[in-house]
């Protein structure tokens, strides 16, 4: 079997996946989606994928999609959509990635599925967003302003009622916010949050991400937090599994935060990194992902579409 690993960078994660595929007698080839084209003249079933000129991959794992213009990203996602339509299992597919990368859509789908998640708003009007911040601040509540498509804790700001004073919304033309406000109600600062990894619909591993210092409310490993092994309780497992199911994901990194009302799902990552989690997890995470792809996803792929 020949598996495409779509990634815009080669590193630890792609090497782990390639080793796991080799252990199952499969070959993993890393391909940047930016180098893939829709080519109706010479492509295989309309697609030109480096390393797969004669036939399409048997399956694909999405590890990363490079940023770019709206048109470039649309084309890259279009390649993933096309593979799915041609019967190729894509793990996670474009629909799942679109749902997770757009924080407002994630919040909407989680809310619709009854998954505990903080109230959130996506607003284009600066005036309307500022009025919301004023209302929340008057109620002594803070909000977190996040880039709609951001990751790794970059660009997060608290606004509203913060440390006993009102902090107004910054200008939305600041780079990173795309002239709109995605705001999520702030949950009182905790010393840690949880990352739960869901594979094939089942929560498999968990860690606490412990902040780098007193009062630190951003718990991303990329922002200095440290991973600590956590007990995967039935409550955390059920909530993470429900979140992954709501977004239709094959695998997901689900971020949860403790609150007075119980754990709340903050975000669901559809291209989840697991380097930090692997440090506190006994089993090989890449192998578990590959096994799920080969044993579950490929087993239920549309065989008539492939043989045609």
């Amino acid at each position: 079997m020949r598996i495409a690993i779509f990634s815009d960078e080669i590193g630890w994660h792609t090497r782990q996946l390639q080793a796991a595929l080799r252990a199952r007698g499969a070959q993993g080839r890393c391909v940047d989606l930016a180098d893939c084209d829709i080519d109706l003249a010479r492509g295989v079933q309309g697609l030109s994928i480096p390393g797969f000129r004669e036939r399409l991959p048997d399956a694909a794992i999405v590890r990363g999609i490079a940023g770019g213009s709206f048109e470039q990203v649309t084309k890259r996602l279009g390649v993933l959509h096309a593979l799915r339509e041609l019967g190729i299992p894509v793990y996670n597919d474009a629909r799942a990635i679109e749902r997770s990368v757009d924080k407002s859509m994630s919040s909407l789908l989680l809310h619709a599925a009854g998954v505990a998640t903080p109230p959130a708003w996506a607003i284009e009007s600066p005036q309307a967003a500022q009025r919301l911040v004023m209302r929340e601040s008057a109620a002594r509540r803070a909000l977190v302003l996040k880039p709609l498509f951001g990751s790794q804790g970059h660009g997060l700001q608290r606004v509203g009622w913060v440390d006993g004073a009102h902090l107004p919304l910054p200008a939305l033309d600041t780079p990173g916010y795309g002239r709109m406000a995605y705001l999520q109600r702030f949950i009182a600062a905790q010393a840690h949050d949880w990352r739960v990894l869901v594979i094939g619909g089942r929560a498999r591993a968990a860690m606490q991400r412990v902040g780098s210092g007193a009062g630190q409310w951003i718990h991303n490993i990329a922002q200095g937090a440290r991973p600590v092994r956590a007990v995967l309780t039935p409550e955390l497992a059920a909530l993470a599994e429900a979140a992954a199911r709501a977004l239709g994901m094959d695998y997901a990194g689900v971020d949860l935060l403790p609150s007075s009302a119980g754990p709340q799902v903050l975000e669901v990552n559809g291209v989840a990194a697991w380097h930090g989690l692997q440090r506190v997890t006994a089993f090989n995470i890449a192998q578990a992902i590959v096994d799920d792809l080969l044993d579950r996803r490929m087993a239920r792929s549309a065989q008539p579409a492939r043989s045609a």
Side-chain angles (χ1 to χ4, degrees), residues 14-252:
T14 54
R15 290 192 296 271
Q16 289 279 302
L17 290 170
Q18 287 178 313
L21 286 164
R22 284 195 300 270
R24 290 291 305 269
Q27 177 189 25
R29 183 179 182 90
C30 294
V31 184
D32 192 334
L33 279 165
D35 297 327
C36 301
D37 297 311
I38 293 174
D39 184 343
L40 305 186
R42 295 187 299 173
V44 181
Q45 293 182 271
L47 292 177
S48 174
I49 301 175
F52 299 91
R53 302 294 189 186
E54 301 302 321
R55 66 181 177 92
L56 293 177
D58 296 294
I61 301 173
V62 182
R63 249 316 310 153
I65 302 174
S69 68
F70 178 78
E71 291 80 3
Q72 288 173 319
V73 173
T74 298
K75 188 273 293 183
R76 294 164 195 171
L77 288 169
V79 171
L80 298 182
H81 279 296
L83 285 170
R84 177 183 176 276
E85 293 302 316
L86 291 169
I88 307 299
V90 181
Y91 192 104
N92 285 308
D93 70 20
R95 299 172 306 167
I97 291 171
E98 288 167 348
R99 292 165 183 158
S100 64
V101 75
D102 177 353
K103 292 185 179 66
S104 64
M105 182 54 63
S106 294
S107 292
L108 182 70
L109 292 173
L110 291 171
H111 177 73
V115 178
T117 190
W121 299 260
I123 302 173
E124 287 194 44
S125 164
Q127 295 79 15
Q130 196 67 266
R131 288 195 295 270
L132 168 66
V133 172
M134 291 292 292
R135 289 198 305 271
E136 291 288 297
S137 185
R140 299 297 191 264
R141 290 193 292 256
L143 299 169
V144 180
L145 173 67
K146 301 181 178 184
L148 191 68
F149 303 125
S151 63
Q152 298 187 326
H154 297 301
L156 274 59
Q157 296 187 54
R158 285 189 296 174
V159 296
W161 192 254
V162 178
D163 296 330
H166 174 72
L167 284 182
L169 189 73
L172 296 179
D173 57 4
T174 303
Y177 298 114
R179 297 181 180 273
M180 68 162 292
Y182 169 76
L183 295 153
Q184 191 177 56
R185 187 171 288 166
F186 179 69
I187 297 175
Q190 305 286 338
H192 74 275
D193 70 1
W194 293 284
R195 162 64 65 89
V196 177
L197 183 66
V198 178
I199 300 175
R202 186 162 67 91
R204 296 290 305 276
M207 68 175 173
Q208 287 185 355
R209 300 187 300 185
V210 179
S212 57
Q216 176 61 270
W217 57 276
I218 300 176
H219 300 106
N220 298 76
I221 300 295
Q223 299 297 320
R226 57 186 176 88
V228 176
R229 187 174 182 178
V231 175
L232 184 54
T233 66
E235 182 182 30
L236 288 178
L239 192 55
E241 289 167 2
R245 188 164 56 249
L247 272 64
M249 315 197 93
D250 289 310
Y251 82 111

